Amino acid sequence: VSDPVRIGLLGRGTVGDAFHELIAQRADAIGVAAGRRPEIAGVLRRSEGDFEAILDESEIVVELMGGTEPALEYVLLALRAGRHVVTANKQLIAQFGDQLFDAARMSGVQLRFEAAVAGVVPVIRVIQESLAAIEITKVFGIVNGTTNFILSEMASTGASYADCLRRAQELGYAEADPSDDVGGADAAAKMAILARLAFGTPVALGDVSYEGITEIQPDDIAYAKELGLSLKLLGVAERREGGISVRVFPCFLYAHHPLAPIEGPFNAVMVQAPTITEITMSGPGAGGVETAAAVLGDVVSILSGKAPVHVARGSLEIVRDISSSFYLHLEVADRPGVLAQVADVLGRNEVSVQSVVQRGMGDEARLVMVMHECPESRFFKALEEIATLEFLRGQPRAIRVIEEEFV
Ligand SMILES: NC(=O)c1ccc[n+]([C@@H]2O[C@H](COP(=O)([O-])OP(=O)(O)OC[C@H]3O[C@@H](n4cnc5c(N)ncnc54)[C@H](OP(=O)(O)O)[C@@H]3O)[C@@H](O)[C@H]2O)c1
């Protein structure tokens, strides 16, 4: 029997503890399948362990502390000392990817991070390994389970954003401070990682424009249901004329869209390319045991020897003004001519309307429209003008709509 592979575990919180348990349960089976039995060489927590001593004892370092300090320092030291590293830390990879990949390359070791995006759904492995030979045109999906849970809950109960957030916190799907999730920053970090891998180009966090779900109103979801739409927080990384665009935004999907049925704290990622048409992967996006399973899967991949190929295609421009289709929700005075004036502003800005729902409510009315795709700058200019119309009774609300056709 060959020597065990010794693992230094940095962090033993939700994921670290589940990882520790999983090693205890699965070590023998992995030993048989991969040829070497994993064992924990040492654990570092705030209250326990010494990093240098753990590094000396380990062949693979598993970073499950979170945050960027001291995680970055420890991971760099480990890579430079010739240790393979597995991490679930999306901020670390999104912010310091260049530095970390360089350090791994220089030392000839592997840096794996499957759990950093979409939990146990194997999107990183599929993009880096299964699809390494093709030119990916678009990677997009639901990469934040907290917001997907909140939006699903709003749609099924009609409750407010604040009530659904509270429920997510009670169930452990949202943290006490949910701002990174609900504001879109968490999804943005994951999309930066996916874009980097899919397009072989460095993508900084600042290259990703993002919006969250905090402004979504229950009646947006209710009206959109009438139009056959469901609401998701989507991350989209795609090739565009002259470069790439990487964005996170709430948007409506038609019922036939493959991501429309993804409910609750689940994640789903689609990859498109002419060669493969499209692939959809979905599953649990978080959770201690699920994430630990992805981390241990990375350890097994390291034991099997082969590092993923890095396809670097050089720098690509970030394209910002792109075309989108929008849903527009207006609260207006209920009197003749209102629709015509709104239509006039849209028409002058070359924004064309695809469908309209109009509802009278006493002396107020709701006007809910879906536009055809047009350059976003053109739509926002029309929106600015609409906001000044004197019959408006509240701030206009605009949400993107994905019109794409699927096979
Ligand atoms: N939870 C999930 O479902 C999930 C899903 C996907 C990815 N992730 C990622 O997995 C990582 C770990 O998340 P988690 O939820 O397990 O976090 P957690 O429960 O907060 O655990 C963090 C662990 O790291 C230790 N630690 C933190 N700072 C340290 C420091 N300066 N020195 C030494 N030890 C330190 C903590 O020590 P103490 O025990 O002494 O406090 C704790 O054991 C994060 O990068 C997170 O983004 C988590």
Side-chain angles (χ1 to χ4, degrees):
V1 182
S2 44
D3 291 341
V5 59
R6 296 183 47 83
I7 296 172
L9 179 57
L10 311 183
R12 190 174 174 179
T14 308
V15 183
D17 203 46
F19 178 78
H20 205 282
E21 276 282 298
L22 203 56
I23 290 259
Q25 292 163 18
R26 301 290 304 156
D28 289 342
I30 292 169
V32 172
R36 293 180 72 194
R37 191 179 181 283
E39 70 179 37
I40 301 288
V43 175
L44 181 74
R45 317 175 56 155
R46 288 190 185 90
S47 53
E48 171 191 359
D50 170 65
F51 175 72
E52 299 291 338
I54 292 170
L55 186 63
D56 270 352
E57 287 294 309
S58 13
E59 207 173 309
I60 299 178
V61 169
V62 170
E63 185 277 307
L64 299 171
M65 297 191 297
T68 54
E69 250 347 298
L72 175 65
E73 182 195 338
Y74 289 167
V75 167
L76 279 173
L77 284 168
L79 292 169
R80 286 174 185 151
R83 309 301 191 269
H84 302 291
V85 171
V86 178
T87 178
N89 191 331
K90 68 210 141 234
Q91 289 299 343
L92 201 63
I93 302 295
Q95 291 183 44
F96 304 103
D98 292 335
Q99 209 176 331
L100 294 167
F101 293 132
D102 276 354
R105 211 170 9 245
M106 302 271 283
S107 298
V109 293
Q110 296 195 35
L111 169 64
R112 288 191 175 260
F113 46 91
E114 185 63 71
V117 182
V120 71
V121 188
V123 289
I124 302 289
R125 198 175 266 93
V126 166
I127 291 173
Q128 275 196 309
E129 299 177 37
S130 316
L131 302 179
I134 63 160
E135 190 162 274
I136 293 169
T137 44
K138 185 168 174 178
V139 184
F140 64 111
I142 297 162
V143 293
N144 183 276
T146 306
T147 45
N148 204 53
F149 173 83
I150 294 171
L151 294 175
S152 303
E153 198 72 0
M154 287 178 78
S156 63
T157 64
S160 70
Y161 161 75
D163 285 346
C164 294
L165 169 60
R166 210 167 305 121
R167 178 136 180 78
Q169 284 168 325
E170 282 162 16
L171 291 171
Y173 294 140
E175 289 174 33
D177 176 3
S179 37
D180 270 4
D181 289 319
V182 299
D186 173 89
K190 293 166 177 168
M191 291 314 298
I193 297 173
L194 291 182
R196 169 195 286 277
L197 299 179
F199 307 131
T201 186
V203 177
L205 264 185
D207 293 334
V208 187
S209 52
Y210 62 91
E211 293 164 35
I213 62 161
T214 53
E215 306 297 321
I216 302 292
Q217 303 290 329
D219 59 354
D220 288 323
I221 295 180
Y223 277 94
K225 257 189 187 170
E226 288 189 32
L227 297 164
L229 301 167
S230 63
L231 188 65
K232 307 289 178 197
L233 183 71
L234 220 63
V236 180
E238 60 190 327
R239 287 181 189 278
R240 287 270 172 174
E241 187 97 10
I244 58 167
S245 143
V246 192
R247 300 171 300 143
V248 172
F249 50 87
C251 79
F252 287 115
L253 302 177
Y254 285 95
H256 63 259
H257 194 291
L259 299 178
I262 306 297
E263 300 277 357
F266 269 52
N267 281 191
V269 174
M270 297 183 70
V271 184
Q272 292 179 342
T275 342
I276 58 160
T277 310
E278 71 200 28
I279 289 173
T280 307
M281 293 162 271
S282 70
V289 185
E290 293 85 346
T291 309
V295 173
L296 189 52
D298 276 349
V299 169
V300 173
S301 291
I302 289 173
L303 293 181
S304 72
K306 213 66 197 119
V309 187
H310 253 290
V311 190
R313 297 189 168 93
S315 278
L316 291 167
E317 282 279 301
I318 300 292
V319 178
R320 298 214 183 249
D321 187 22
I322 57 161
S323 289
S324 296
S325 165
F326 280 89
Y327 149 105
L328 178 62
H329 184 138
L330 303 174
E331 290 169 38
V332 294
D334 194 7
R335 61 172 194 246
V338 163
L339 179 56
Q341 278 194 61
V342 172
D344 175 57
V345 175
L346 292 170
R348 274 191 285 103
N349 287 286
E350 295 172 77
V351 179
S352 67
V353 178
Q354 182 187 314
S355 56
V356 182
V357 177
Q358 193 172 9
R359 263 309 129 71
M361 301 168 70
D363 57 357
E364 278 193 13
R366 301 291 165 103
L367 211 51
V368 177
M369 322 171 110
V370 176
M371 315 301 155
H372 281 295
E373 190 171 309
C374 71
E376 291 197 351
S377 53
R378 221 195 267 167
F379 174 80
F380 285 122
K381 188 159 167 293
L383 191 62
E384 238 173 64
E385 273 185 53
I386 288 171
T388 64
L389 295 173
E390 51 80 30
F391 51 74
L392 226 64
R393 293 291 173 266
Q395 277 294 317
R397 306 203 298 259
I399 297 172
R400 290 173 184 80
V401 178
I402 300 281
E403 277 195 302
E404 222 165 345
E405 291 297 326
F406 287 90
V407 282

